[in-house]
Structure formats: C-alpha cells, structure tokens
Amino acid sequence: MALSSAARVFYLNLKKSSSLLASTRICVVQTANLTSKENRDPDYKRPKPWPYETKYYSFLWGYVEGTVKRFDENTKIVVVDGNIGAGKSAFAKQLAEAFDLVYFPEPTMEPFYVTPYGYDIRLLDDIVPPSYKACDLKTFYSNPHHRNVAQFQFRMFMFRYEQYIDALAHVLNTGQGVVMERSVYGDFVFLETMHKFGYISDPVRQLYKDINENTLDELLRPHLIVYLDVSPEVCLQRIKERNDPTEVNSKVLTKEYLETLEHYYKHHYLKKLERHTEILMYDWNNFGDVEVVVEDIERIDFERYSRYDFKLQDWRKADDWEWNYFRRQYTTHKNKLLIYSHIFRPKVSEVHHPPDEVIEYRELLEKIPGEMYEEGFNPNAGDNVWFKTDHKGFRYMPIIRYRKE
C-alpha cells in the first residue's frame, strides 16, 4: 500500500529518530564475528594499548582516552572449560594463537606461597600455627580432609576472581581479546563437588555462595564458553598417562569424583551461563581438530541479539562514558572489587585464624626478608627505598598474592 507524502515524511522522520536514539543508547562491543589471523585483514593494526599495568586510568583520562575506539571483532573473552584431564591447556593455547588473543592459564597456589623474593613459605610448615599450615592442590589431592582445605578453595576462588578482573582490564585497555583456561564463573563446580564428598562443611558452602553472589555481579560474563566434553573414564586414563604422582596417587581423583564434577559442569554451570553467553560443546574423548572449532567460532554472529536479549547483555553499554566507568573499575579500582569478598563470619572457623595464631604467624613472617612490607619496600631484602614516596603498609597477612604468569 502506497503511503501519502505526509505519511511518508512522518515515517522517515520516525525511523531516523529511532535510529538516532538506538545509536546513542547502546554501544555494542561485538562486531559480528571473531576472525582468525588467517582470515583477518593483513593491514589491520590494533590501536596502541593503554599501559594499564603501570598507569592509573582516572575519570579525567576519559575525556581524551576513550574505550570504544579500541574495540574490534576480536575484543572478546573466551573461556575454555572441561573436566580434569580434558586437554584444556593445549587447546586454549592453540585457540589463542589462532585468533591472536592473549592466553590466561589457570591460576595456581604458587604465587601465594612463594614470595616475590623467591622464598617458599611452605618451608615453615613444621613451625607455623595449625590454621596456617599450607594447603595447596597437592595437599588437597593427598589429604582432602586437611583442616585448611576450605581456605585452599576460597583462595582459588579469589585467584580466579582477580585473574578475571585482569582479563577485563586487558580487554578494555587494549582491545585485544582473551582466552582463559577456566574462570571464576565455574569455580563453584569444585566447591559443590568438594561439599558433596564431605571435604567442605555446610557453613563454608553457604559463606562461599554469599561471597560468590557478592562479587560476580561486578563482572562482565564471557562472550563464549568452549566446553571440552570428556567422559570420566577417559579423564582417568589421561591422568594416568601424564603420570603426575600428585594426581596418580590421589585419594580424590576417583571416577565418582570426576562424574560429580561433570554433573555440576553440565547441569548447573553451563545451564546457568547459557542465558548470557554463547556456548559451544565438543566431544573431546579422542581430542579433535582445533581448526574445526575455529571455523565454528567464526560463524557465530555475536550481533544478532537485540538490546532486550539477556545473552551478551553485559557487553552492551549506553556510550563510551559507561564503558570508561567499567574500565576504571577493573583498571584502577581492582582492590575495591576484591574487598567485596570480605564477608566476616566468625563461626565459620575453617576459613579464619584465631587471634593468638595471627600474632604468632606475624612474628614468624617478620624473620623472612621481604615479608614485612610490600614488594619494593623491604630494605632487609635489598630494596632501595630512598626517595620512594608511594607508601606501602605492612604485608604480614597476605590474602591475595596473585601474579600473572
């Protein structure tokens, strides 16, 4: 049906105003598809990255140093997940190489126990108070009922939480995407499995859930999760083949334990995230062709969702100023985000230290060169502190000692 001239003018003006409104109210990071290095324009050059690791990004910098200008089709966070022994590390590295993304390996407890000056605090295990006895992955695998297993799991959550903040900071300050081996969003899979087998108590589980809810709301969910589906039987076989004594002789890594991990991954984690994130799952029992996965990822249209869709909603912001706010949060105010995890519940004694043990542990740490003050401010460890004006407080009680590999 033909429109009258007046109606046509009204329609065009309405369409124009609607388009203008949409463009001013929503700014989407995604530019259709992730593009591999092989298919990318060889002349493309990413804008010079902001030195976010050494320079604060303040509100005033937002006037001259915008965020959206760095975004391209590969400005995304991809998480590779799967059971123990699924082959995530090798796959994630290959995926990062294919798309020219940064690879973030799964964090470990080493940075917590090994100081920046190279001293391994676990060497003091025979003389530290009971609540400070070292408990890392090796300890958990050999003694899952260790009194400090809850502390171990909480610290792993914090390492993943901080690493994810660093990943967001990298994406927003450089425009370069990230491939992560596991993430903070899937950490609860381990907590729930440990709880089911009696390694974690009910009060600890409830405290973990409260901290989880209090922290993850501050983050932006990943664009894509690639899940490598491997049966527990094959996982056990691969664990034996890589012949790590810690895993092979473990009292934890049983078929039942791996089956429970798989259950929580598939029926809780993936179902919880599928509303917000693109998910690809592959049968990886006999491994697979990474090039096929790359092609599948390139076919995903990340722009097909409207502003009202839940999927990828985290990555649709009103304008550059809103993006600048999140960039400041992850770049300059990371410590404030970490504080959201500090829920003190004295009755949950497994994750807290008695006051007398705190004092005893402090006195022990004072004898270790480099453990009295923050890194770079310890004269007894050889640091030159002359003319340093950035005050650093006592270290004493390291809660987080995460360092990127």
Side-chain angles (χ1 to χ4, degrees):
M1 181 177 68
L3 295 172
S4 67
S5 57
R8 181 174 178 80
V9 170
F10 174 79
Y11 171 76
L12 291 176
N13 287 337
L14 178 63
K15 184 177 180 181
K16 181 178 179 181
S17 62
S18 299
S19 300
L20 180 61
L21 179 62
S23 65
T24 56
R25 290 190 60 187
I26 190 164
C27 177
V28 184
V29 168
Q30 299 83 9
T31 308
N33 314 82
L34 272 155
T35 306
S36 64
K37 290 194 296 186
E38 183 179 347
N39 296 323
R40 204 164 197 184
D41 183 357
D43 296 327
Y44 173 78
K45 291 184 179 180
R46 189 178 291 110
K48 183 179 179 181
W50 172 265
Y52 67 96
E53 293 179 312
T54 58
K55 194 172 184 178
Y56 280 2
Y57 181 75
S58 64
F59 176 81
L60 294 178
W61 271 114
Y63 285 96
V64 294
E65 176 57 39
T67 301
V68 176
K69 68 179 183 181
R70 301 184 185 282
F71 294 162
D72 58 40
E73 66 269 26
N74 286 8
T75 304
K76 295 177 175 67
I77 291 185
V78 179
V79 174
V80 176
D81 251 313
N83 212 330
I84 300 170
K88 298 178 297 298
S89 300
F91 174 83
K93 291 176 184 177
Q94 291 176 282
L95 204 63
E97 175 64 24
F99 287 103
D100 189 25
L101 308 180
V102 174
Y103 167 61
F104 276 52
E106 183 176 11
T108 69
M109 291 291 292
E110 291 303 299
F112 182 81
Y113 288 116
V114 180
T115 75
Y117 298 90
Y119 187 86
D120 193 332
I121 294 178
R122 287 169 291 196
L123 296 174
L124 302 175
D125 222 36
D126 291 337
I127 59 175
V128 297
S131 68
Y132 285 97
K133 298 289 184 183
C135 185
D136 52 15
L137 186 62
K138 181 178 179 180
T139 306
F140 170 64
Y141 279 167
S142 62
N143 180 17
H145 294 285
H146 189 284
R147 61 160 290 147
N148 295 331
V149 161
Q151 293 182 28
F152 157 70
Q153 183 54 34
F154 273 66
R155 284 170 183 149
M156 285 304 300
F157 171 83
M158 289 304 300
F159 285 150
R160 290 192 172 105
Y161 179 46
E162 184 173 5
Q163 185 189 58
Y164 199 89
I165 294 173
D166 288 342
L168 289 168
H170 181 85
V171 168
L172 298 185
N173 283 283
T174 69
Q176 184 181 28
V178 167
V179 174
M180 305 185 70
E181 181 184 348
R182 290 204 175 106
S183 77
V184 66
Y185 287 98
D187 185 79
F188 79 92
V189 168
F190 294 93
L191 185 285
E192 294 292 353
T193 302
M194 293 163 74
H195 174 261
K196 183 174 181 179
F197 280 80
Y199 307 146
I200 294 289
S201 68
D202 290 338
V204 169
R205 178 175 179 259
Q206 185 57 53
L207 175 59
Y208 178 94
K209 291 177 67 176
D210 293 342
I211 292 175
N212 193 287
E213 294 175 1
N214 206 42
T215 53
L216 297 195
D217 282 348
E218 303 298 322
L219 307 179
L220 308 178
R221 300 174 185 88
H223 295 81
L224 171 66
I225 295 173
V226 180
Y227 184 80
L228 305 182
D229 188 17
V230 179
S231 70
E233 294 81 5
V234 174
C235 286
L236 277 176
Q237 182 59 36
R238 291 182 184 173
I239 289 171
K240 292 179 181 178
E241 289 173 354
R242 61 192 187 192
N243 200 29
D244 182 343
T246 301
E247 295 179 335
V248 174
N249 301 321
S250 173
K251 299 177 182 179
V252 175
L253 298 180
T254 62
K255 180 183 176 183
E256 294 73 23
Y257 189 83
L258 296 175
E259 285 175 342
T260 305
L261 283 175
E262 181 183 48
H263 169 78
Y264 279 108
Y265 262 126
K266 291 182 176 179
H267 299 282
H268 296 269
Y269 168 62
L270 294 179
K271 285 190 175 182
K272 184 178 181 180
L273 269 292
E274 67 179 353
R275 190 183 187 191
H276 305 277
T277 301
E278 293 284 355
I279 295 177
L280 293 176
M281 181 183 292
Y282 294 91
D283 183 341
W284 219 248
N285 283 295
N286 297 308
F287 295 101
D289 191 342
V290 177
E291 292 184 5
V292 173
V293 180
V294 171
E295 292 174 0
D296 290 344
I297 293 175
E298 287 187 302
R299 282 193 285 267
I300 299 176
D301 182 4
F302 290 91
E303 279 193 333
R304 68 182 184 274
Y305 304 105
S306 73
R307 74 179 70 176
Y308 305 108
D309 289 318
F310 283 103
K311 188 156 288 191
L312 301 181
Q313 188 179 65
D314 291 356
W315 294 90
R316 294 192 289 271
K317 306 302 178 188
D319 51 33
D320 206 15
W321 282 108
E322 189 172 1
W323 277 118
N324 291 348
Y325 165 79
F326 282 93
R327 182 176 169 185
R328 287 196 304 276
Q329 291 292 96
Y330 306 135
T331 305
T332 305
H333 303 306
K334 183 173 77 170
N335 287 337
K336 293 182 180 179
L337 297 180
L338 294 176
I339 289 174
Y340 292 153
S341 67
H342 294 186
I343 299 178
F344 183 58
R345 204 159 288 168
K347 292 184 179 181
V348 187
S349 59
E350 297 100 309
V351 296
H352 298 301
H353 305 284
D356 57 330
E357 293 189 9
V358 173
I359 297 173
E360 182 181 350
Y361 187 65
R362 284 182 175 181
E363 293 174 350
L364 287 172
L365 282 188
E366 286 180 356
K367 300 175 183 179
I368 302 175
E371 282 302 290
M372 181 170 288
Y373 303 103
E374 286 291 339
E375 183 180 0
F377 289 81
N378 292 279
N380 64 347
D383 291 335
N384 183 1
V385 299
W386 289 99
F387 306 112
K388 287 186 177 178
T389 58
D390 184 17
H391 172 71
K392 301 288 184 179
F394 290 94
R395 179 194 296 281
Y396 280 139
M397 289 284 292
I399 297 175
I400 294 297
R401 191 184 273 142
Y402 163 74
R403 296 192 299 276
K404 287 191 287 186
E405 300 293 334

